[in-house]
Amino acid sequence: MIDQADVVVIGSGGLGAATAFYLARDGSRHVALVDKHELASQTSPRAAGLVSHARSTDLMVELVRHAARNIERFADDTGQPLEWTRSGSLKVARRLEDVAVLESEIARAERLGLDAEAISPADAHRRNPFLHEEGVLAVARVGDDLYFDPSQVAIGFARGAEARGATLLPRTNVTRVRIEDGRVVAVETDAGTIRARVVVDAAGAWTRQVAEASGIRVPIVPTRHQLFVTEPLDGVHDDLPIVRIVDAAVYVRPCSGGFLWGVFEEEPRQFEMDALGPRFEIADLELDADVLRRAADDVRSQLPALRDAKVREHRGGLPTMTADAQHIVGPAPGADGFFIAGGCNVAGLSISPAIGDVLANWIVQGEPPLDLTPLSVERFRAAPSEERLRREAAWQYRHFYTSA
Ligand SMILES: Cc1cc2nc3c(=O)[nH]c(=O)nc-3n(C[C@H](O)[C@H](O)[C@H](O)COP(=O)(O)OP(=O)(O)OC[C@H]3O[C@@H](n4cnc5c(N)ncnc54)[C@H](O)[C@@H]3O)c2cc1C
């Protein structure tokens, strides 16, 4: 155990580990990366590993491009392995209103120089023969999209940070960030106190608990999300484009000769972390295979293989939703030195190589390298009631492909 650091990062998932890595790589700060569980063991390794470039704002497109660049050079930068494939993606509209969504995404993507275009259902089927034309009204192809092995990202960043001098402290529970006269002075853990003037709350589903112990509100709702990985299927290869079906909110990508696929369900299960108890970890999360079976039924005309494929793995985790589906990144008002990297909105792992880089820069330089005001927690100053927050967060989850 150490008793002092320049920066303490709480949480070794994608967001925290990436921040610790880029801080350690800068070399001007001593960084401690603290996790109450084993390193990189909670929601991050359970993700799908999809990187989507067609986003609803220019800022998000810029951040995703930054993240994709850092993913491609991950192994060189961190010295740790990361398997990734630039497969491109096909986004499918089955309803007229979703055709307009795809058109506006393509227009933004083209304006920002992405490799995006509308293609015919027949062309989509040719590119991914597992996607059938029946009921498909329109398809947007994004050539920039990629996927990666989610189990390698957070641990790779953590090990890369350690190699550059960061101290890793697994199985160390942060109980409170001590704030005196409006600034961070220390982090209290169950193994002792670490004096530090900067802290990053990247505690995933627990981000809110960590912040609230210091009187800071972070309005996010931990929301269960789950996926299946199938046994290998004839004809599946790594380069098949990712498929997303907008209204069904189903996604699928190749995985070890089979498919990995998930769904944003109609009635998502939301969680209150305190109610789960102090010993809860994501491995204890109750999963529900029926949610996925119903989704396979919904898309049976377009993706018939999902209904019949044998399931090899069923996994899930607790990403956190905000009321507007945008992340929460940056300083907490009224607590100098307290930064937040949360509100992942089921897209936090893919963006973590950008958020970590940008946040590290912000901490070292004292100002952000690009304007992140839209992601500030201050936008929620007029905090909605808990009931409204949960309602809006559920809506954002259900409408993932039309709002994110
Ligand atoms: C099935 C599924 C599919 C997904 N697909 C994608 C995808 O395709 N693309 C994408 O970008 N994202 C995806 N996501 C979302 C992605 O997994 C999350 O956005 C991301 O992992 C969040 O990372 P995190 O660092 O915030 O959280 P976590 O990985 O949960 O890390 C938080 C860490 O904080 C630690 N911690 C908590 N409290 C404390 C404390 N008091 N003291 C010390 N440590 C503490 C925890 O132990 C944990 O290790 C998916 C998620 C799921 C579940």
Side-chain angles (χ1 to χ4, degrees):
M1 185 64 182
I2 53 170
D3 62 9
Q4 187 166 4
D6 295 316
V7 184
V8 174
V9 180
I10 305 167
S12 66
L15 290 167
T19 308
F21 171 76
Y22 289 107
L23 278 166
R25 190 176 73 160
D26 171 77
S28 64
R29 303 286 192 282
H30 176 218
V31 184
L33 179 60
V34 186
D35 203 297
K36 68 174 174 175
H37 293 116
E38 297 297 337
L39 293 172
S41 63
Q42 298 301 300
T43 290
S44 290
R46 296 176 166 83
L50 305 178
V51 183
S52 170
H53 285 74
R55 307 299 282 267
S56 62
T57 67
D58 288 11
L59 172 62
M60 284 312 299
V61 173
E62 187 175 349
L63 285 171
V64 173
R65 291 176 103 160
H66 183 154
R69 282 195 299 275
N70 284 356
I71 287 166
E72 288 172 11
R73 46 198 275 191
F74 186 93
D76 287 341
D77 284 352
T78 63
Q80 302 295 315
L82 178 60
E83 283 168 40
W84 57 271
T85 305
R86 188 179 290 282
S87 62
S89 72
L90 306 172
K91 204 168 185 180
V92 174
R94 304 188 297 184
R95 304 179 307 190
L96 270 177
E97 63 255 48
D98 298 330
V99 176
V101 171
L102 296 194
E103 282 168 357
S104 89
E105 283 185 358
I106 292 170
R108 181 181 303 102
E110 281 177 338
R111 176 168 57 76
L112 296 174
L114 293 173
D115 171 23
E117 61 176 349
I119 61 171
S120 68
D123 192 8
H125 175 66
R126 193 181 53 73
R127 290 167 188 268
N128 187 334
F130 289 87
L131 171 63
H132 292 224
E133 290 177 55
E134 192 185 327
V136 175
L137 295 184
V139 182
R141 184 192 69 83
V142 179
D144 306 81
D145 281 357
L146 57 130
Y147 66 87
F148 55 80
D149 181 344
S151 69
Q152 295 177 313
V153 174
I155 194 67
F157 273 133
R159 293 286 172 223
E162 184 181 38
R164 284 156 188 78
T167 303
L168 307 186
L169 297 170
R171 298 177 299 282
T172 306
N173 183 33
V174 171
T175 49
R176 188 169 73 111
V177 176
R178 202 189 304 155
I179 295 169
E180 288 173 7
D181 299 326
R183 78 152 303 120
V184 168
V185 294
V187 174
E188 294 171 7
T189 80
D190 56 4
T193 298
I194 308 170
R195 279 178 292 127
R197 290 176 76 77
V198 178
V199 63
V200 180
D201 178 359
W206 296 267
T207 303
R208 187 170 176 171
Q209 273 65 27
V210 169
E212 283 183 358
S214 303
I216 297 164
R217 183 157 192 260
V218 182
I220 55 175
V221 184
T223 304
R224 184 181 66 187
H225 185 63
Q226 35 179 359
L227 58 76
F228 277 162
V229 181
T230 75
E231 294 288 357
L233 295 164
D234 282 348
V236 177
H237 56 85
D238 291 350
D239 294 324
L240 283 179
I242 299 158
V243 174
R244 300 181 173 94
I245 305 217
V246 174
D247 64 300
V250 165
Y251 56 84
V252 52
R253 66 131 163 121
C255 180
S256 309
F259 284 125
L260 175 158
W261 71 276
V263 61
F264 294 82
E265 68 215 72
E266 271 296 309
E267 290 179 14
R269 273 202 69 187
Q270 301 175 322
F271 287 82
E272 214 276 282
M273 299 312 285
D274 284 338
L276 295 171
R279 266 189 279 279
F280 171 83
E281 49 183 319
I282 299 295
D284 303 330
L285 186 66
E286 194 189 317
L287 301 178
D288 180 0
D290 284 345
V291 168
L292 288 140
R293 290 197 194 103
R294 281 195 298 273
D297 224 39
D298 184 6
V299 299
R300 64 186 177 281
S301 301
Q302 294 76 40
L303 295 166
L306 300 189
R307 271 218 309 192
D308 307 328
K310 237 174 129 198
V311 175
R312 172 162 68 81
E313 185 187 354
H314 179 196
R315 67 182 192 234
L318 287 181
T320 55
M321 297 303 297
T322 59
D324 62 5
Q326 301 297 317
H327 307 304
I328 297 178
V329 181
D336 279 0
F338 194 113
F339 288 80
I340 302 159
C344 76
N345 288 286
V346 206
L349 192 63
S350 53
I351 201 82
S352 65
I355 298 290
D357 202 354
V358 166
L359 211 45
N361 218 284
W362 194 340
I363 289 166
V364 172
Q365 304 297 336
E367 54 187 51
L370 74 169
D371 182 11
L372 291 186
T373 312
L375 306 186
S376 166
V377 72
E378 288 207 70
R379 70 188 191 275
F380 298 119
R381 208 170 341 156
S385 69
E386 201 55 34
E387 192 199 334
R388 190 168 145 208
L389 168 63
R390 283 175 173 259
R391 200 172 53 242
E392 290 177 357
W395 190 92
Q396 296 293 354
Y397 180 87
R398 276 198 296 272
H399 296 88
F400 189 78
Y401 288 133
T402 47
S403 69

